[in-house]
Amino acid sequence: MTINKEQDQLQIIKDDEIDLIALVKTIWNGRKTIYYSVGIAVFIGLLIAFTSPAKYRAYCTLIPSEEKQGGSLGNLGAIAGMAGINIGSMMGGTSGIPAEIYPQVVNSYPFKKEMVHQKFHFTEYVEPVSLYEYAVADTLETFGSKVIKYTILLPWTIKDALLFKDEKELDLPDYGVLNLSEEELLAMAAVEEVIVVEVDKKTGLINVSAEVGEPVLVAQLVQKAVELLQDYIIKYKTKQAREHLEFVQGQYNDKKKQYEFAQSSFYNYKDKHRNMVTERVDLEFQRLSDEYDMASTIYKGLAQQLEQAKITVNEQTPAFTILEPAKVPIEKSAPNKKVIIVVSIILGSFIGIGVIFGRLILNNLKQSL
């Protein structure tokens, strides 16, 4: 029987062509090997499926605002659009920012640093804690590690303590750049790994998602990420308008005090010298009247500018539409036991077939030698 099997295996390739019947026979004769391989792969897959930590996924879909200015172009803009020319963008009429920038915003250091200091509800804590505090608590030494540190590793502990003391005594200059602690870097790396922003180029929709081991926490992470993202875009869009508003507001406050002082001085003087008619009184009255009129004119002009600046900030503030809000997930997103089992079966089958052909190659080499 063994000789027949070897003869069938040796006749798989005939005249540089593959004999499918001989190939199927070889695989069928080695089916026990495939069964063993599949069984081992499925066993390993079950171990992975039931020992891997559970993860939950939440997401939020939003529509960014695409405000357009310069609507007075009318039919000219429509005709140019048919020709593939965007006159609005050429004239600076597009007030929205490209959706492709959103993932870069979420992965930027300012965003991640602000994110790690936001407080969230963890199942391990009664009160809300930040990701930074969670990272610090996770890096605290256990009792066993402290015993090893001050017994077996005592020389290295003393060495590290002396080096740290020298570094601490060294007065390093402030270069005005970001100086992040190790815990902050760990928390920021976790944020970058967990929170994902995807942009659909066809529809323009922005999907913010996250996947962690706690269902309530993952919904909080997505919601807070969307809020910070909206705040960042709003600040970016209205930066110039807000700076102008702050300047006008400061000027308005100063001129308001001057106007109220000039008004009070003018009417007080007018009441005190109501029945007096002299050239000196008339001169002082005219001077105070001119100061009051000038202060009133400037004050009223700044009041109009202030209202216009407020309107401009409101107009330039982008509005976001939440198409799908973040919800607390009920079902686990990982591990997917069905997928793991299917992949294990496929992988085990390929490994078994590989072992069969590996044996065939070894037999051919032995016979050729």
Short mmCIF file of all heavy atoms in Angstrom, two decimals, residues 261-324:
data_model
loop_
_atom_site.label_atom_id
_atom_site.label_comp_id
_atom_site.label_asym_id
_atom_site.label_seq_id
_atom_site.Cartn_x
_atom_site.Cartn_y
_atom_site.Cartn_z
N PHE A 261 -17.74 109.48 31.50
CA PHE A 261 -17.10 110.57 32.24
C PHE A 261 -17.42 111.92 31.60
O PHE A 261 -17.74 112.90 32.30
CB PHE A 261 -15.60 110.35 32.30
CG PHE A 261 -14.86 111.43 33.02
CD1 PHE A 261 -14.86 111.51 34.40
CD2 PHE A 261 -14.16 112.41 32.29
CE1 PHE A 261 -14.18 112.53 35.05
CE2 PHE A 261 -13.49 113.43 32.95
CZ PHE A 261 -13.49 113.49 34.33
N ALA A 262 -17.31 112.00 30.27
CA ALA A 262 -17.61 113.25 29.56
C ALA A 262 -19.08 113.62 29.72
O ALA A 262 -19.42 114.80 29.91
CB ALA A 262 -17.25 113.12 28.09
N GLN A 263 -19.95 112.65 29.68
CA GLN A 263 -21.38 112.90 29.85
C GLN A 263 -21.68 113.42 31.24
O GLN A 263 -22.44 114.39 31.41
CB GLN A 263 -22.15 111.61 29.59
CG GLN A 263 -23.67 111.76 29.62
CD GLN A 263 -24.37 110.44 29.46
OE1 GLN A 263 -24.01 109.47 30.14
NE2 GLN A 263 -25.35 110.38 28.58
N SER A 264 -21.08 112.77 32.26
CA SER A 264 -21.30 113.20 33.64
C SER A 264 -20.76 114.62 33.87
O SER A 264 -21.41 115.46 34.50
CB SER A 264 -20.65 112.21 34.60
OG SER A 264 -20.78 112.63 35.93
N SER A 265 -19.54 114.88 33.35
CA SER A 265 -18.94 116.21 33.53
C SER A 265 -19.77 117.29 32.85
O SER A 265 -19.99 118.38 33.42
CB SER A 265 -17.52 116.21 32.98
OG SER A 265 -16.72 115.26 33.63
N PHE A 266 -20.26 117.01 31.67
CA PHE A 266 -21.01 118.01 30.91
C PHE A 266 -22.33 118.35 31.61
O PHE A 266 -22.67 119.51 31.80
CB PHE A 266 -21.27 117.48 29.50
CG PHE A 266 -22.19 118.35 28.69
CD1 PHE A 266 -21.79 119.62 28.30
CD2 PHE A 266 -23.46 117.91 28.33
CE1 PHE A 266 -22.65 120.42 27.55
CE2 PHE A 266 -24.31 118.70 27.60
CZ PHE A 266 -23.91 119.97 27.20
N TYR A 267 -23.09 117.33 32.02
CA TYR A 267 -24.39 117.59 32.63
C TYR A 267 -24.27 118.14 34.05
O TYR A 267 -25.11 118.93 34.50
CB TYR A 267 -25.24 116.32 32.61
CG TYR A 267 -25.84 116.05 31.26
CD1 TYR A 267 -25.32 115.07 30.43
CD2 TYR A 267 -26.92 116.80 30.79
CE1 TYR A 267 -25.84 114.83 29.18
CE2 TYR A 267 -27.45 116.56 29.53
CZ TYR A 267 -26.91 115.58 28.73
OH TYR A 267 -27.45 115.35 27.47
N ASN A 268 -23.22 117.76 34.77
CA ASN A 268 -23.00 118.35 36.10
C ASN A 268 -22.68 119.84 35.98
O ASN A 268 -23.19 120.66 36.76
CB ASN A 268 -21.86 117.63 36.82
CG ASN A 268 -22.28 116.25 37.31
OD1 ASN A 268 -23.46 115.99 37.50
ND2 ASN A 268 -21.30 115.37 37.50
N TYR A 269 -21.81 120.16 35.04
CA TYR A 269 -21.48 121.57 34.83
C TYR A 269 -22.72 122.35 34.38
O TYR A 269 -22.94 123.50 34.79
CB TYR A 269 -20.37 121.68 33.79
CG TYR A 269 -19.86 123.10 33.60
CD1 TYR A 269 -18.88 123.61 34.45
CD2 TYR A 269 -20.38 123.91 32.59
CE1 TYR A 269 -18.42 124.91 34.28
CE2 TYR A 269 -19.93 125.21 32.42
CZ TYR A 269 -18.95 125.70 33.28
OH TYR A 269 -18.51 126.99 33.12
N LYS A 270 -23.53 121.73 33.53
CA LYS A 270 -24.73 122.40 33.02
C LYS A 270 -25.72 122.68 34.15
O LYS A 270 -26.35 123.75 34.20
CB LYS A 270 -25.37 121.51 31.96
CG LYS A 270 -26.54 122.14 31.24
CD LYS A 270 -27.05 121.20 30.16
CE LYS A 270 -28.22 121.85 29.41
NZ LYS A 270 -28.74 120.95 28.34
N ASP A 271 -25.85 121.72 35.11
CA ASP A 271 -26.76 121.92 36.22
C ASP A 271 -26.26 123.01 37.18
O ASP A 271 -27.05 123.81 37.70
CB ASP A 271 -26.95 120.62 37.00
CG ASP A 271 -27.75 119.60 36.21
OD1 ASP A 271 -28.48 120.02 35.28
OD2 ASP A 271 -27.63 118.39 36.49
N LYS A 272 -24.94 123.05 37.41
CA LYS A 272 -24.39 124.03 38.34
C LYS A 272 -24.44 125.45 37.80
O LYS A 272 -24.55 126.42 38.57
CB LYS A 272 -22.94 123.67 38.68
CG LYS A 272 -22.82 122.41 39.53
CD LYS A 272 -21.35 122.11 39.81
CE LYS A 272 -21.21 120.84 40.64
NZ LYS A 272 -19.78 120.52 40.90
N HIS A 273 -24.36 125.60 36.50
CA HIS A 273 -24.31 126.95 35.91
C HIS A 273 -25.53 127.19 35.03
O HIS A 273 -25.45 127.82 33.97
CB HIS A 273 -23.03 127.11 35.08
CG HIS A 273 -21.77 126.90 35.86
ND1 HIS A 273 -21.23 125.65 36.11
CD2 HIS A 273 -20.94 127.80 36.48
CE1 HIS A 273 -20.13 125.77 36.82
NE2 HIS A 273 -19.92 127.08 37.07
N ARG A 274 -26.68 126.71 35.50
CA ARG A 274 -27.88 126.81 34.68
C ARG A 274 -28.33 128.28 34.51
O ARG A 274 -28.73 128.68 33.42
CB ARG A 274 -29.00 126.01 35.33
CG ARG A 274 -30.29 125.96 34.50
CD ARG A 274 -31.30 125.06 35.17
NE ARG A 274 -30.83 123.69 35.24
CZ ARG A 274 -30.95 122.83 34.24
NH1 ARG A 274 -31.54 123.19 33.11
NH2 ARG A 274 -30.49 121.60 34.37
N ASN A 275 -28.27 129.13 35.56
CA ASN A 275 -28.77 130.50 35.51
C ASN A 275 -27.65 131.53 35.39
O ASN A 275 -27.87 132.72 35.60
CB ASN A 275 -29.61 130.79 36.76
CG ASN A 275 -30.84 129.91 36.82
OD1 ASN A 275 -31.46 129.64 35.78
ND2 ASN A 275 -31.20 129.45 38.02
N MET A 276 -26.45 131.06 35.09
CA MET A 276 -25.31 131.98 34.97
C MET A 276 -24.97 132.19 33.51
O MET A 276 -24.90 131.23 32.73
CB MET A 276 -24.09 131.41 35.71
CG MET A 276 -24.31 131.25 37.21
SD MET A 276 -22.87 130.55 38.04
CE MET A 276 -21.65 131.81 37.69
N VAL A 277 -24.78 133.47 33.16
CA VAL A 277 -24.45 133.81 31.78
C VAL A 277 -23.20 134.68 31.78
O VAL A 277 -23.27 135.87 32.10
CB VAL A 277 -25.61 134.55 31.09
CG1 VAL A 277 -25.24 134.88 29.65
CG2 VAL A 277 -26.89 133.73 31.14
N THR A 278 -22.06 134.07 31.51
CA THR A 278 -20.79 134.79 31.38
C THR A 278 -20.01 134.15 30.24
O THR A 278 -20.28 133.04 29.82
CB THR A 278 -19.97 134.72 32.68
OG1 THR A 278 -19.66 133.36 32.96
CG2 THR A 278 -20.74 135.33 33.86
N GLU A 279 -19.03 134.91 29.77
CA GLU A 279 -18.22 134.36 28.67
C GLU A 279 -17.40 133.15 29.13
O GLU A 279 -17.21 132.20 28.38
CB GLU A 279 -17.29 135.46 28.14
CG GLU A 279 -18.02 136.57 27.42
CD GLU A 279 -17.07 137.59 26.82
OE1 GLU A 279 -15.83 137.40 27.00
OE2 GLU A 279 -17.54 138.53 26.18
N ARG A 280 -16.91 133.20 30.40
CA ARG A 280 -16.14 132.07 30.90
C ARG A 280 -17.02 130.82 31.01
O ARG A 280 -16.58 129.71 30.66
CB ARG A 280 -15.55 132.43 32.26
CG ARG A 280 -14.90 131.24 32.95
CD ARG A 280 -14.39 131.63 34.31
NE ARG A 280 -12.99 132.02 34.21
CZ ARG A 280 -12.26 132.43 35.25
NH1 ARG A 280 -12.84 132.58 36.42
NH2 ARG A 280 -10.99 132.72 35.10
N VAL A 281 -18.24 131.01 31.50
CA VAL A 281 -19.16 129.88 31.61
C VAL A 281 -19.49 129.31 30.24
O VAL A 281 -19.51 128.10 30.02
CB VAL A 281 -20.45 130.31 32.35
CG1 VAL A 281 -21.51 129.20 32.28
CG2 VAL A 281 -20.15 130.64 33.80
N ASP A 282 -19.76 130.23 29.29
CA ASP A 282 -20.07 129.76 27.93
C ASP A 282 -18.89 129.01 27.30
O ASP A 282 -19.08 128.01 26.59
CB ASP A 282 -20.44 130.96 27.05
CG ASP A 282 -21.78 131.56 27.46
OD1 ASP A 282 -22.55 130.85 28.14
OD2 ASP A 282 -22.04 132.71 27.10
N LEU A 283 -17.65 129.47 27.58
CA LEU A 283 -16.46 128.82 27.02
C LEU A 283 -16.29 127.41 27.58
O LEU A 283 -16.03 126.45 26.84
CB LEU A 283 -15.22 129.67 27.31
CG LEU A 283 -13.89 129.13 26.77
CD1 LEU A 283 -13.93 129.07 25.25
CD2 LEU A 283 -12.73 130.01 27.23
N GLU A 284 -16.42 127.29 28.92
CA GLU A 284 -16.27 125.98 29.55
C GLU A 284 -17.41 125.04 29.13
O GLU A 284 -17.21 123.84 28.90
CB GLU A 284 -16.25 126.12 31.07
CG GLU A 284 -15.99 124.85 31.83
CD GLU A 284 -14.58 124.31 31.60
OE1 GLU A 284 -13.71 125.07 31.10
OE2 GLU A 284 -14.34 123.13 31.92
N PHE A 285 -18.61 125.64 29.01
CA PHE A 285 -19.76 124.84 28.57
C PHE A 285 -19.56 124.29 27.16
O PHE A 285 -19.84 123.13 26.89
CB PHE A 285 -21.02 125.72 28.63
CG PHE A 285 -22.27 125.01 28.17
CD1 PHE A 285 -23.00 124.24 29.05
CD2 PHE A 285 -22.71 125.13 26.85
CE1 PHE A 285 -24.15 123.59 28.62
CE2 PHE A 285 -23.84 124.48 26.42
CZ PHE A 285 -24.58 123.70 27.32
N GLN A 286 -19.01 125.11 26.28
CA GLN A 286 -18.77 124.67 24.90
C GLN A 286 -17.69 123.61 24.84
O GLN A 286 -17.78 122.64 24.08
CB GLN A 286 -18.37 125.88 24.04
CG GLN A 286 -18.27 125.59 22.56
CD GLN A 286 -19.59 125.16 21.96
OE1 GLN A 286 -20.64 125.74 22.29
NE2 GLN A 286 -19.57 124.15 21.10
N ARG A 287 -16.64 123.76 25.67
CA ARG A 287 -15.56 122.78 25.68
C ARG A 287 -16.07 121.41 26.14
O ARG A 287 -15.78 120.37 25.52
CB ARG A 287 -14.44 123.24 26.61
CG ARG A 287 -13.20 122.34 26.58
CD ARG A 287 -12.18 122.83 27.59
NE ARG A 287 -12.66 122.66 28.95
CZ ARG A 287 -12.63 121.49 29.62
NH1 ARG A 287 -12.15 120.41 29.03
NH2 ARG A 287 -13.07 121.43 30.85
N LEU A 288 -16.84 121.40 27.23
CA LEU A 288 -17.38 120.15 27.74
C LEU A 288 -18.39 119.54 26.76
O LEU A 288 -18.47 118.32 26.60
CB LEU A 288 -18.05 120.37 29.10
CG LEU A 288 -17.10 120.73 30.25
CD1 LEU A 288 -17.89 121.05 31.51
CD2 LEU A 288 -16.12 119.60 30.52
N SER A 289 -19.13 120.42 26.09
CA SER A 289 -20.10 119.94 25.10
C SER A 289 -19.39 119.28 23.92
O SER A 289 -19.82 118.21 23.44
CB SER A 289 -20.97 121.09 24.61
OG SER A 289 -21.86 120.65 23.61
N ASP A 290 -18.28 119.89 23.48
CA ASP A 290 -17.53 119.30 22.37
C ASP A 290 -16.92 117.94 22.76
O ASP A 290 -16.94 116.98 21.97
CB ASP A 290 -16.43 120.25 21.92
CG ASP A 290 -16.99 121.52 21.27
OD1 ASP A 290 -18.17 121.48 20.87
OD2 ASP A 290 -16.25 122.51 21.18
N GLU A 291 -16.38 117.86 23.99
CA GLU A 291 -15.81 116.60 24.45
C GLU A 291 -16.88 115.52 24.55
O GLU A 291 -16.65 114.35 24.18
CB GLU A 291 -15.14 116.79 25.81
CG GLU A 291 -13.86 117.60 25.76
CD GLU A 291 -13.22 117.75 27.12
OE1 GLU A 291 -13.83 117.26 28.11
OE2 GLU A 291 -12.12 118.33 27.22
N TYR A 292 -18.06 115.93 25.03
CA TYR A 292 -19.16 114.97 25.15
C TYR A 292 -19.63 114.49 23.77
O TYR A 292 -19.85 113.29 23.57
CB TYR A 292 -20.31 115.61 25.91
CG TYR A 292 -21.59 114.81 25.86
CD1 TYR A 292 -21.69 113.57 26.49
CD2 TYR A 292 -22.70 115.29 25.17
CE1 TYR A 292 -22.85 112.82 26.43
CE2 TYR A 292 -23.87 114.56 25.11
CZ TYR A 292 -23.94 113.33 25.74
OH TYR A 292 -25.11 112.60 25.68
N ASP A 293 -19.73 115.41 22.82
CA ASP A 293 -20.17 115.02 21.47
C ASP A 293 -19.16 114.09 20.80
O ASP A 293 -19.53 113.12 20.14
CB ASP A 293 -20.38 116.28 20.62
CG ASP A 293 -21.56 117.10 21.08
OD1 ASP A 293 -22.44 116.53 21.78
OD2 ASP A 293 -21.63 118.31 20.76
N MET A 294 -17.86 114.42 20.96
CA MET A 294 -16.83 113.57 20.35
C MET A 294 -16.82 112.18 20.98
O MET A 294 -16.75 111.16 20.27
CB MET A 294 -15.46 114.23 20.50
CG MET A 294 -14.33 113.46 19.83
SD MET A 294 -12.75 114.30 19.98
CE MET A 294 -13.08 115.79 19.06
N ALA A 295 -16.89 112.13 22.32
CA ALA A 295 -16.91 110.84 23.01
C ALA A 295 -18.15 110.04 22.63
O ALA A 295 -18.08 108.81 22.46
CB ALA A 295 -16.84 111.05 24.52
N SER A 296 -19.28 110.75 22.47
CA SER A 296 -20.52 110.08 22.10
C SER A 296 -20.42 109.49 20.69
O SER A 296 -20.86 108.36 20.44
CB SER A 296 -21.69 111.05 22.19
OG SER A 296 -22.89 110.45 21.74
N THR A 297 -19.83 110.26 19.76
CA THR A 297 -19.70 109.79 18.38
C THR A 297 -18.80 108.56 18.30
O THR A 297 -19.13 107.55 17.64
CB THR A 297 -19.14 110.90 17.49
OG1 THR A 297 -20.01 112.04 17.55
CG2 THR A 297 -19.03 110.42 16.05
N ILE A 298 -17.65 108.62 19.00
CA ILE A 298 -16.72 107.48 18.98
C ILE A 298 -17.35 106.27 19.65
O ILE A 298 -17.24 105.14 19.15
CB ILE A 298 -15.40 107.86 19.67
CG1 ILE A 298 -14.70 108.99 18.89
CG2 ILE A 298 -14.49 106.65 19.80
CD1 ILE A 298 -13.47 109.54 19.57
N TYR A 299 -18.03 106.53 20.77
CA TYR A 299 -18.65 105.43 21.52
C TYR A 299 -19.74 104.74 20.69
O TYR A 299 -19.79 103.50 20.62
CB TYR A 299 -19.24 105.98 22.81
CG TYR A 299 -20.09 104.99 23.57
CD1 TYR A 299 -19.53 103.90 24.21
CD2 TYR A 299 -21.48 105.16 23.63
CE1 TYR A 299 -20.31 103.00 24.90
CE2 TYR A 299 -22.27 104.27 24.32
CZ TYR A 299 -21.68 103.18 24.95
OH TYR A 299 -22.47 102.29 25.63
N LYS A 300 -20.56 105.50 20.03
CA LYS A 300 -21.63 104.92 19.21
C LYS A 300 -21.05 104.17 18.00
O LYS A 300 -21.56 103.12 17.61
CB LYS A 300 -22.60 106.00 18.75
CG LYS A 300 -23.43 106.60 19.87
CD LYS A 300 -24.33 107.72 19.36
CE LYS A 300 -25.15 108.32 20.51
NZ LYS A 300 -26.00 109.44 20.03
N GLY A 301 -19.98 104.72 17.41
CA GLY A 301 -19.34 104.04 16.29
C GLY A 301 -18.75 102.70 16.69
O GLY A 301 -18.88 101.69 15.98
N LEU A 302 -18.09 102.67 17.87
CA LEU A 302 -17.52 101.42 18.36
C LEU A 302 -18.61 100.42 18.74
O LEU A 302 -18.42 99.21 18.59
CB LEU A 302 -16.61 101.69 19.56
CG LEU A 302 -15.25 102.32 19.24
CD1 LEU A 302 -14.53 102.70 20.51
CD2 LEU A 302 -14.40 101.34 18.43
N ALA A 303 -19.74 100.93 19.25
CA ALA A 303 -20.85 100.04 19.57
C ALA A 303 -21.36 99.34 18.31
O ALA A 303 -21.66 98.14 18.33
CB ALA A 303 -21.97 100.83 20.24
N GLN A 304 -21.44 100.08 17.21
CA GLN A 304 -21.85 99.47 15.95
C GLN A 304 -20.82 98.45 15.46
O GLN A 304 -21.17 97.35 14.99
CB GLN A 304 -22.07 100.55 14.89
CG GLN A 304 -23.24 101.48 15.19
CD GLN A 304 -23.39 102.57 14.15
OE1 GLN A 304 -22.56 102.71 13.25
NE2 GLN A 304 -24.45 103.37 14.27
N GLN A 305 -19.53 98.81 15.56
CA GLN A 305 -18.47 97.88 15.15
C GLN A 305 -18.48 96.62 16.02
O GLN A 305 -18.23 95.50 15.53
CB GLN A 305 -17.11 98.56 15.25
CG GLN A 305 -16.90 99.67 14.24
CD GLN A 305 -15.49 100.23 14.32
OE1 GLN A 305 -14.54 99.51 14.59
NE2 GLN A 305 -15.37 101.53 14.09
N LEU A 306 -18.77 96.79 17.32
CA LEU A 306 -18.81 95.64 18.22
C LEU A 306 -19.93 94.68 17.83
O LEU A 306 -19.73 93.46 17.78
CB LEU A 306 -19.00 96.12 19.66
CG LEU A 306 -19.05 95.04 20.73
CD1 LEU A 306 -17.75 94.25 20.78
CD2 LEU A 306 -19.36 95.65 22.11
N GLU A 307 -21.09 95.20 17.53
CA GLU A 307 -22.20 94.35 17.11
C GLU A 307 -21.89 93.65 15.79
O GLU A 307 -22.21 92.47 15.61
CB GLU A 307 -23.48 95.18 17.00
CG GLU A 307 -24.00 95.70 18.32
CD GLU A 307 -24.31 94.58 19.31
OE1 GLU A 307 -24.85 93.54 18.88
OE2 GLU A 307 -23.97 94.74 20.49
N GLN A 308 -21.25 94.38 14.87
CA GLN A 308 -20.89 93.78 13.59
C GLN A 308 -19.84 92.69 13.77
O GLN A 308 -19.89 91.65 13.10
CB GLN A 308 -20.38 94.86 12.63
CG GLN A 308 -20.08 94.36 11.23
CD GLN A 308 -21.29 93.79 10.54
OE1 GLN A 308 -22.37 94.38 10.60
NE2 GLN A 308 -21.14 92.65 9.88
N ALA A 309 -18.88 92.91 14.69
CA ALA A 309 -17.86 91.90 14.96
C ALA A 309 -18.49 90.65 15.56
O ALA A 309 -18.10 89.52 15.23
CB ALA A 309 -16.79 92.46 15.90
N LYS A 310 -19.47 90.81 16.43
CA LYS A 310 -20.17 89.66 17.01
C LYS A 310 -20.91 88.89 15.92
O LYS A 310 -20.91 87.65 15.92
CB LYS A 310 -21.14 90.13 18.08
CG LYS A 310 -20.48 90.66 19.35
CD LYS A 310 -21.52 91.11 20.35
CE LYS A 310 -20.86 91.66 21.63
NZ LYS A 310 -21.87 92.13 22.61
N ILE A 311 -21.54 89.62 15.01
CA ILE A 311 -22.26 88.97 13.91
C ILE A 311 -21.28 88.19 13.03
O ILE A 311 -21.56 87.07 12.59
CB ILE A 311 -23.04 90.01 13.09
CG1 ILE A 311 -24.17 90.60 13.94
CG2 ILE A 311 -23.61 89.39 11.82
CD1 ILE A 311 -24.89 91.76 13.28
N THR A 312 -20.10 88.78 12.77
CA THR A 312 -19.10 88.13 11.94
C THR A 312 -18.61 86.83 12.57
O THR A 312 -18.46 85.80 11.90
CB THR A 312 -17.91 89.07 11.69
OG1 THR A 312 -18.38 90.27 11.08
CG2 THR A 312 -16.88 88.41 10.79
N VAL A 313 -18.36 86.86 13.89
CA VAL A 313 -17.93 85.65 14.59
C VAL A 313 -19.00 84.58 14.50
O VAL A 313 -18.73 83.40 14.26
CB VAL A 313 -17.59 85.97 16.06
CG1 VAL A 313 -17.37 84.67 16.85
CG2 VAL A 313 -16.37 86.85 16.14
N ASN A 314 -20.25 84.99 14.67
CA ASN A 314 -21.36 84.04 14.61
C ASN A 314 -21.50 83.45 13.20
O ASN A 314 -21.79 82.26 13.04
CB ASN A 314 -22.65 84.74 15.02
CG ASN A 314 -23.81 83.77 15.12
OD1 ASN A 314 -23.73 82.75 15.79
ND2 ASN A 314 -24.90 84.08 14.44
N GLU A 315 -21.30 84.29 12.19
CA GLU A 315 -21.42 83.81 10.81
C GLU A 315 -20.30 82.84 10.45
O GLU A 315 -20.51 81.88 9.70
CB GLU A 315 -21.41 84.99 9.83
CG GLU A 315 -22.68 85.82 9.86
CD GLU A 315 -22.59 87.02 8.93
OE1 GLU A 315 -21.45 87.33 8.48
OE2 GLU A 315 -23.62 87.65 8.66
N GLN A 316 -19.11 83.09 10.96
CA GLN A 316 -17.96 82.25 10.62
C GLN A 316 -17.83 81.02 11.50
O GLN A 316 -16.96 80.18 11.25
CB GLN A 316 -16.67 83.07 10.70
CG GLN A 316 -16.58 84.17 9.67
CD GLN A 316 -15.24 84.87 9.69
OE1 GLN A 316 -14.33 84.46 10.40
NE2 GLN A 316 -15.11 85.92 8.89
N THR A 317 -18.67 80.89 12.53
CA THR A 317 -18.63 79.71 13.38
C THR A 317 -19.26 78.53 12.65
O THR A 317 -20.46 78.56 12.33
CB THR A 317 -19.38 79.96 14.70
OG1 THR A 317 -18.77 81.06 15.39
CG2 THR A 317 -19.34 78.72 15.58
N PRO A 318 -18.50 77.48 12.34
CA PRO A 318 -19.07 76.34 11.61
C PRO A 318 -20.03 75.55 12.48
O PRO A 318 -19.84 75.41 13.69
CB PRO A 318 -17.83 75.51 11.24
CG PRO A 318 -16.81 75.87 12.26
CD PRO A 318 -17.07 77.30 12.64
N ALA A 319 -21.07 75.05 11.85
CA ALA A 319 -22.07 74.23 12.54
C ALA A 319 -21.90 72.78 12.11
O ALA A 319 -21.81 72.48 10.92
CB ALA A 319 -23.47 74.72 12.22
N PHE A 320 -21.82 71.89 13.08
CA PHE A 320 -21.66 70.46 12.80
C PHE A 320 -22.99 69.74 13.03
O PHE A 320 -23.71 70.03 13.99
CB PHE A 320 -20.59 69.84 13.71
CG PHE A 320 -19.22 70.39 13.50
CD1 PHE A 320 -18.81 71.55 14.13
CD2 PHE A 320 -18.32 69.76 12.66
CE1 PHE A 320 -17.55 72.07 13.94
CE2 PHE A 320 -17.06 70.26 12.46
CZ PHE A 320 -16.68 71.42 13.10
N THR A 321 -23.28 68.82 12.14
CA THR A 321 -24.49 68.00 12.27
C THR A 321 -24.08 66.59 12.66
O THR A 321 -23.34 65.93 11.93
CB THR A 321 -25.28 67.98 10.95
OG1 THR A 321 -25.60 69.32 10.58
CG2 THR A 321 -26.55 67.18 11.10
N ILE A 322 -24.56 66.14 13.82
CA ILE A 322 -24.26 64.79 14.27
C ILE A 322 -25.25 63.85 13.61
O ILE A 322 -26.44 63.83 13.93
CB ILE A 322 -24.36 64.67 15.80
CG1 ILE A 322 -23.42 65.68 16.48
CG2 ILE A 322 -24.05 63.26 16.25
CD1 ILE A 322 -21.97 65.45 16.20
N LEU A 323 -24.76 63.08 12.66
CA LEU A 323 -25.62 62.14 11.94
C LEU A 323 -25.89 60.89 12.77
O LEU A 323 -27.01 60.38 12.80
CB LEU A 323 -24.97 61.76 10.61
CG LEU A 323 -25.84 60.97 9.63
CD1 LEU A 323 -27.04 61.80 9.19
CD2 LEU A 323 -25.02 60.55 8.41
N GLU A 324 -24.88 60.40 13.46
CA GLU A 324 -25.01 59.21 14.30
C GLU A 324 -24.25 59.46 15.60
O GLU A 324 -23.02 59.48 15.62
CB GLU A 324 -24.44 57.98 13.59
CG GLU A 324 -24.65 56.67 14.34
CD GLU A 324 -26.10 56.22 14.36
OE1 GLU A 324 -26.85 56.58 13.42
OE2 GLU A 324 -26.48 55.53 15.30
#
